[in-house]
Amino acid sequence: MACRGGGGHGQPPSATLFRVSPGNLSTRRTLTHNICMVSDFFYPNMGGVESHIYQLSQCLIERGHKVIIVTHAYGNRKGIRYLTNGLKVYYLPLKVMYNQSTATTLFHSLPLLRYIFVRERVTIIHSHSSFSAMAHDALFHAKTMGLQTVFTDHSLFGFADVSSVLTNKLLTVSLCDTNHIICVSYTSKENTVLRAALNPEIVSVIPNAVDPTDFTPDPFRRHDSVITIVVVSRLVYRKGTDLLSGIIPEICQKYPDLNFIIGGEGPKRIILEEVRERYQLQDRVLLLGALEHKDVRNVLVQGHIFLNTSLTEAFCMAIVEAASCGLQVVSTRVGGIPEVLPENLIILCEPSVKSLCEGLEKAIFQLKSGALPAPENIHNIVKTFYTWRNVAERTEKVYDRVAGEAVLPMDKRLDRLISHCGPVTGYIFALLAVFDFLFLIFLRWMTPDSLIDVAVDATGPRGAWTHQCPHRIKRREKNKMFKAR
Amino acid sequence: MDACGGPLGNLTAHVWLSLQNSMILSAAIFITLLGLLGYLHFVKIDQETLLIIDSLGIQMTSSYASGKESTTFIEMGKVKDVVINEAIYMQKVIYYLCILLKDPVEPPGISEVVPVFQSAKPRLDCLIEVYRSCQEILAHQKDTSTSP
């Protein structure tokens, strides 16, 4: 492994757009990219963005690309670590400000990010989530360094309140000179295009996926004498927990043979506990608290009907997971949800207690009359819809397209900022971009690119991990180490 | 008397002032010298040596600019392996060589990681050379310890 790294010094220090694979790879592709995923959100933090980055990276590695992930340090987890298949993760020691998002001064992260981009010979920066300050920082620096940039937006946003006005402005600045943007649903694309005033041609829609083998139905786990409604979501305002607290008493009064199982934790848990107390439903409403991702399936298979009460959702992974487990899904008609599942697998309602109760009653009626398809059949239909391999393939097409495009040179970038982002913001950020550029020149003078050791590739066409015995890499408690005997 | 006392008083004041000045000055020089000596003696490392003998162990010597040497010795029985690792150091990501020590309580585990060449921080190509020779010696040591 080590000798391969030594050979890396022969490469030109300038970032090559792509490398030609040696041809001994099983994949037929000749174009491979060095991709760097940047986001504040990664494991051990749990959530949709985290699993999206992980799964997408794994599938891209499988397709012969080199992938690294950059995120911020989580407690004691800092430094460099390797995950399955040699996926390299940099946990950078940056200060966390709010909600696992790092503080940003726009400049302080440049030295480390530049060092990583140079030593890993990154050609494409792929940032995730508009809530992540680090993702925007990385985009900003990558454009200064002349690297290709891709951004994936995972959430929907409003236009009216102060915080969204500010975030939208920031997003406009950040995305106006980004090469390509990926959204998870058409609703999300529409939303992002409007928020960031983008040209819709550079926005692609690639949905999320679920691993269908993780979510298989198990009809023997549920009791058919009672109907069980499952809710799995974080108990927060956005997920419509207030609606849920209105639905529970109404449905429970109407149907005596019906139970609720609620998985998830959050600030709104207290109102559910109040409802349970007030209507004496302790034995019928089960609150499980926070669930680990691996336990979600075991909870889902205990139910007949899955209820989703989200008020806003770009692409709802939870309903796909539930449908994959063979549950009838009842959901609110918001955001990208109507695009996710075909009409015969989902009952859509307005986000109100009355409409959701009607939807549930319809589902219960269908269940009692035996009109619902068997869980196994639902699973077989759903498992073909969203797979990570498909997502990776489509993302790869975006990379191929981006690799052929030119990165805006500094003068054009400044023009774009000034003309695109309004007079005040435009000039401020153009000035900041100039400062960033000067800072980069200073850093290049302090430590020239030629003095930076090229990292040993763990993945990709020259990946030491995929081409040599995997057992040589052993895990240690603090770091993972190389060895080559 | 009067005519003479004035200039004399002036002179004493002048001498005292210059004396005071020179005292501050000499103190400053003295402290700087002391600091420099301390720096050369305790901080600035001129040379780092890694000596590995398969039947004995690993000796790491760092010689300071003043000539002072500090030596650490790890006997072979404690050494588990020598590896190259990556770390984030200041605003850089660097490779470094380190020695893994066996955990006496739990044999397959590692009790400690001892970094080598901490001040020199050689680059990867140099580390690989050192690493290869270390591995050769370690492999030889393992052969001889298992064969009889």
Side-chain angles (χ1 to χ4, degrees):
Chain A
M1 170 182 288
C3 61
R4 281 163 180 267
H9 285 290
Q11 291 158 14
S14 67
T16 44
L17 282 183
F18 46 79
R19 290 214 194 105
V20 179
S21 74
N24 56 355
L25 278 170
S26 50
T27 46
R28 68 239 165 310
R29 298 175 47 77
T30 50
L31 237 173
T32 63
H33 306 284
N34 292 350
I35 302 145
C36 175
M37 305 274 183
V38 188
S39 182
D40 271 321
F41 311 111
F42 194 64
Y43 296 134
N45 203 31
M46 295 303 290
V49 181
E50 289 83 350
S51 71
H52 178 102
I53 297 173
Y54 176 77
Q55 300 278 6
L56 178 62
S57 306
Q58 288 296 351
C59 289
L60 287 169
I61 288 172
E62 194 183 270
R63 298 182 69 82
H65 298 284
K66 172 180 170 178
V67 186
I68 59 164
I69 295 174
V70 176
T71 181
H72 67 80
Y74 282 88
N76 199 24
R77 183 177 282 260
K78 48 191 157 201
I80 297 150
R81 309 248 182 156
Y82 289 88
L83 304 181
T84 318
N85 292 332
L87 178 59
K88 192 174 188 176
V89 187
Y90 287 87
Y91 289 94
L92 304 186
L94 301 172
K95 273 271 165 289
V96 173
M97 189 173 60
Y98 172 70
N99 231 340
Q100 285 306 342
S101 183
T102 47
T104 180
T105 55
L106 215 55
F107 297 114
H108 74 293
S109 58
L110 177 62
L112 255 180
L113 284 177
R114 176 229 167 199
Y115 209 94
I116 291 169
F117 294 164
V118 171
R119 81 194 292 271
E120 297 283 352
R121 296 286 182 261
V122 170
T123 53
I124 294 175
I125 310 295
H126 190 165
S127 290
H128 291 264
S129 178
S130 44
F131 293 115
S132 160
M134 196 183 199
H136 290 300
D137 269 17
L139 283 181
F140 192 70
H141 301 322
K143 283 175 274 195
T144 314
M145 289 175 67
L147 300 171
Q148 319 283 347
T149 44
V150 178
F151 177 81
T152 299
D153 200 353
H154 290 266
S155 35
L156 292 178
F157 241 106
F159 299 91
D161 54 312
V162 179
S163 78
S164 25
V165 168
L166 285 174
T167 326
N168 291 350
K169 196 72 195 171
L170 203 69
L171 202 71
T172 317
V173 173
S174 188
L175 297 189
C176 74
D177 43 5
T178 301
N179 291 81
H180 210 94
I181 291 105
I182 298 172
C183 293
V184 288
S185 63
Y186 286 95
T187 316
S188 167
K189 173 176 175 174
E190 201 172 283
N191 184 272
T192 308
V193 167
L194 287 173
R195 277 157 62 203
L198 290 167
N199 172 11
E201 276 175 20
I202 62 160
V203 184
S204 298
V205 175
I206 301 175
N208 271 326
V210 292
D211 193 345
T213 54
D214 279 354
F215 293 94
T216 47
D218 187 358
F220 301 108
R221 290 281 302 276
R222 61 192 200 191
H223 306 285
D224 282 325
S225 53
V226 287
I227 298 170
T228 311
I229 298 178
V230 178
V231 179
V232 177
S233 82
R234 282 175 292 124
L235 303 179
V236 293
Y237 171 74
R238 280 168 71 100
K239 299 289 179 190
T241 311
D242 305 80
L243 288 175
L244 185 62
S245 67
I247 295 163
I248 289 173
E250 201 154 312
I251 292 289
C252 280
Q253 271 166 6
K254 222 173 241 177
Y255 298 92
D257 55 342
L258 184 141
N259 290 342
F260 274 91
I261 298 179
I262 299 167
E265 190 55 73
K268 294 271 182 182
R269 183 184 172 142
I270 188 84
I271 62 167
L272 291 182
E273 279 171 2
E274 271 172 24
V275 165
R276 195 166 68 160
E277 205 87 345
R278 190 181 309 144
Y279 294 92
Q280 298 292 312
L281 296 169
Q282 279 88 343
D283 51 342
R284 295 177 61 191
V285 178
L286 185 62
L287 288 171
L288 295 174
L291 288 180
E292 280 191 44
H293 196 252
K294 64 176 166 53
D295 300 329
V296 169
R297 186 247 168 190
N298 291 335
V299 175
L300 286 175
V301 291
Q302 293 171 30
H304 300 85
I305 297 168
F306 183 83
L307 177 63
N308 173 50
T309 53
S310 291
L311 301 178
T312 165
E313 198 77 69
F315 178 94
C316 193
M317 297 268 264
I319 62 173
V320 184
E321 289 169 358
S324 182
C325 286
L327 277 73
Q328 171 64 37
V329 177
V330 177
S331 174
T332 45
R333 188 187 282 114
V334 293
I337 290 178
E339 299 168 32
V340 173
L341 287 173
E343 272 174 32
N344 55 346
L345 295 180
I346 189 168
I347 297 173
L348 289 168
C349 317
E350 294 310 314
S352 68
V353 172
K354 186 165 164 280
S355 174
L356 277 164
C357 284
E358 279 165 13
L360 277 176
E361 279 172 36
K362 190 176 157 195
I364 293 165
F365 173 74
Q366 283 182 356
L367 187 72
K368 284 188 171 164
S369 64
L372 289 183
E376 201 59 49
N377 296 349
I378 303 181
H379 174 74
N380 287 337
I381 300 168
V382 173
K383 80 176 178 191
T384 56
F385 289 166
Y386 302 104
T387 61
W388 285 112
R389 289 212 169 83
N390 176 274
V391 171
E393 234 168 85
R394 292 161 78 172
T395 313
E396 197 174 56
K397 278 182 192 141
V398 171
Y399 293 154
D400 287 348
R401 179 180 155 174
V402 163
E405 283 172 13
V407 182
L408 286 181
M410 201 58 196
D411 53 334
K412 292 225 179 88
R413 189 179 165 205
L414 294 184
D415 280 348
R416 176 79 65 90
L417 277 169
I418 292 165
S419 63
H420 203 270
C421 307
V424 181
T425 331
Y427 274 106
I428 292 172
F429 277 90
L431 195 67
L432 289 174
V434 171
F435 282 146
D436 203 49
F437 187 64
L438 293 176
F439 190 28
L440 180 69
I441 290 175
F442 172 73
L443 286 173
R444 278 187 176 151
W445 175 72
M446 286 288 287
T447 30
D449 285 2
S450 55
L451 285 186
I452 297 176
D453 275 330
V454 181
V456 178
D457 287 2
T459 52
R462 301 154 60 83
W465 202 286
T466 37
H467 290 186
Q468 290 184 338
C469 311
H471 65 256
R472 284 185 184 165
I473 296 108
K474 48 178 278 182
R475 197 195 161 110
R476 227 183 65 71
E477 178 203 343
K478 218 172 164 190
N479 290 61
K480 286 197 162 185
M481 318 242 171
F482 295 146
K483 40 165 67 182
R485 297 226 167 92
Chain B
M1 255 321 182
D2 242 357
C4 187
L8 202 72
N10 252 349
L11 194 71
T12 43
H14 196 78
V15 165
W16 189 83
L17 200 70
S18 64
L19 201 73
Q20 197 192 27
N21 260 351
S22 73
M23 256 172 74
I24 292 170
L25 204 68
S26 49
I29 292 172
F30 188 69
I31 289 167
T32 316
L33 275 177
L34 215 65
L36 198 68
L37 271 179
Y39 173 73
L40 290 179
H41 203 66
F42 297 110
V43 183
K44 176 133 175 61
I45 293 173
D46 242 11
Q47 199 184 336
E48 281 176 302
T49 329
L50 179 81
L51 179 66
I52 173 163
I53 302 170
D54 56 353
S55 53
L56 273 177
I58 302 175
Q59 177 175 291
M60 291 172 292
T61 314
S62 22
S63 17
Y64 292 87
S66 64
K68 187 187 103 157
E69 286 196 344
S70 84
T71 310
T72 324
F73 180 78
I74 301 165
E75 60 177 293
M76 214 35 133
K78 280 190 186 169
V79 176
K80 188 176 167 67
D81 210 340
V82 176
V83 294
I84 296 177
N85 197 13
E86 280 174 295
I88 298 173
Y89 175 81
M90 307 294 275
Q91 295 286 346
K92 290 175 177 176
V93 184
I94 56 165
Y95 281 105
Y96 66 97
L97 194 71
C98 56
I99 302 167
L100 308 182
L101 302 189
K102 275 180 199 158
D103 197 337
V105 189
E106 200 189 325
I110 296 158
S111 66
E112 206 184 326
V113 180
V114 183
V116 189
F117 304 133
Q118 276 192 76
S119 76
K121 294 191 208 64
R123 291 189 59 180
L124 184 61
D125 44 356
C126 175
L127 283 177
I128 287 164
E129 295 270 314
V130 180
Y131 171 79
R132 287 238 178 85
S133 353
C134 285
Q135 285 301 331
E136 259 171 45
I137 292 163
L138 283 178
H140 185 243
Q141 189 260 338
K142 263 175 204 148
D143 284 349
T144 49
S145 67
T146 49
S147 57

